[in-house]
Amino acid sequence: MKTAVCPGSFDPVTKGHLDIITRASRLFDRVIVLVVTNAAKTPSFTKEERMSLIRRVTGDLLNVEVETYSGLLADYVRDVGAVAIVKGLRAVSDFEYEFQMALANKKLNPEADTLFLTTAAENMYLSSSIVKQIAQFGGDISDFLPEQIVREVKNRLCP
Ligand code: PNS
C-alpha cells in the first residue's frame, strides 16, 4: 500500500488545496492530509479548526485521512511509512522555496520523495492568505473555498 502525505498550513483549506488532495487520492492508496506548523506564519485558525474544515471537504474521498503533527514533517513521513510528500506548485515564484524544502526533507528522510502537482489554471493565483485578506475587507470569498465551508470561514474571519 502506497501512502502519501499532503502537508500544509491549510489556514484555511482552499479549492486549490482540495484539487491537489483529490488528485493525490487518485495516485496513492492512502493520503494523509497533515496540518503542520509553518514557523514563518501566524495562523488565523487553530489546528483543530483547520482539521475540521479539511475533514468536511474531503468526506467523500475514502482514502483520505486528516491528521496533525507538531514536529518535523520528514519524521512524520518516516513514522507512517509514506513514500511521497505531495505538494501543489502554483507558479515559478513558489518553486525556489518548495525546492529548498524538498531537498531538506530528502536529506532528513531519504526514503520519501516530494512530488509536485501543477495547480489547475483557475487556482494559479489562489492562496489562503489572499482569501483571508479578501474576507477581512468584507469581499466575497465564495469562489475560492469549497462550498461546504464558505459560511463558517466568512463568519470566523468577518464576524
Ligand atoms: O502551506 P505551507 O505553509 O506553505 O506549508 C509549509 C509546511 C507547513 C509544509 C512547512 O513549513 C513544513 O513542513 N512544516 C513542518 C515543520 C518542518 O518539517 N519544517 C522543515 C521543512 S524543510
Side-chain angles (χ1 to χ4, degrees):
M1 181 155 97
K2 301 267 188 216
T3 300
V5 174
C6 279
S9 310
F10 303 109
D11 188 48
V13 64
T14 66
K15 276 187 178 173
H17 293 129
L18 183 57
D19 173 54
I20 299 296
I21 295 165
T22 304
R23 286 157 59 199
S25 77
R26 295 189 198 121
L27 296 170
F28 292 91
D29 302 307
R30 178 185 180 214
V31 171
I32 303 171
V33 181
L34 193 68
V35 177
V36 272
T37 305
N38 182 337
K41 293 180 182 170
T42 306
S44 303
F45 293 83
T46 65
K47 278 188 174 168
E48 288 67 30
E49 286 173 324
R50 287 179 266 161
M51 289 169 72
S52 157
L53 293 171
I54 301 167
R55 286 204 175 104
R56 276 167 52 195
V57 302
T58 57
D60 58 340
L61 301 172
L62 300 181
N63 60 342
V64 171
E65 298 157 35
V66 185
E67 300 292 343
T68 186
Y69 187 66
S70 49
L72 274 179
L73 174 61
D75 290 340
Y76 181 89
V77 169
R78 182 186 296 107
D79 289 350
V80 296
V83 294
I85 296 166
V86 175
K87 299 216 74 184
L89 203 58
R90 282 170 303 198
V92 179
S93 51
D94 282 348
F95 183 76
E96 203 170 318
Y97 174 62
E98 292 294 346
F99 191 57
Q100 199 179 9
M101 280 199 294
L103 291 177
N105 283 323
K106 185 74 180 167
K107 181 80 182 162
L108 294 167
N109 176 7
E111 302 299 312
D113 279 297
T114 297
L115 204 74
F116 293 111
L117 297 182
T118 44
T119 194
E122 63 268 29
N123 297 326
M124 278 288 284
Y125 61 93
L126 195 50
S127 70
S128 299
S129 36
I130 289 276
V131 170
K132 284 190 285 186
Q133 273 194 47
I134 295 171
Q136 277 154 9
F137 289 99
D140 182 8
I141 53 171
S142 50
D143 277 349
F144 311 132
L145 299 177
E147 64 167 318
Q148 305 95 307
I149 63 167
V150 170
R151 186 190 299 266
E152 185 175 335
V153 172
K154 263 187 196 165
N155 290 343
R156 182 69 171 60
L157 293 173
C158 204

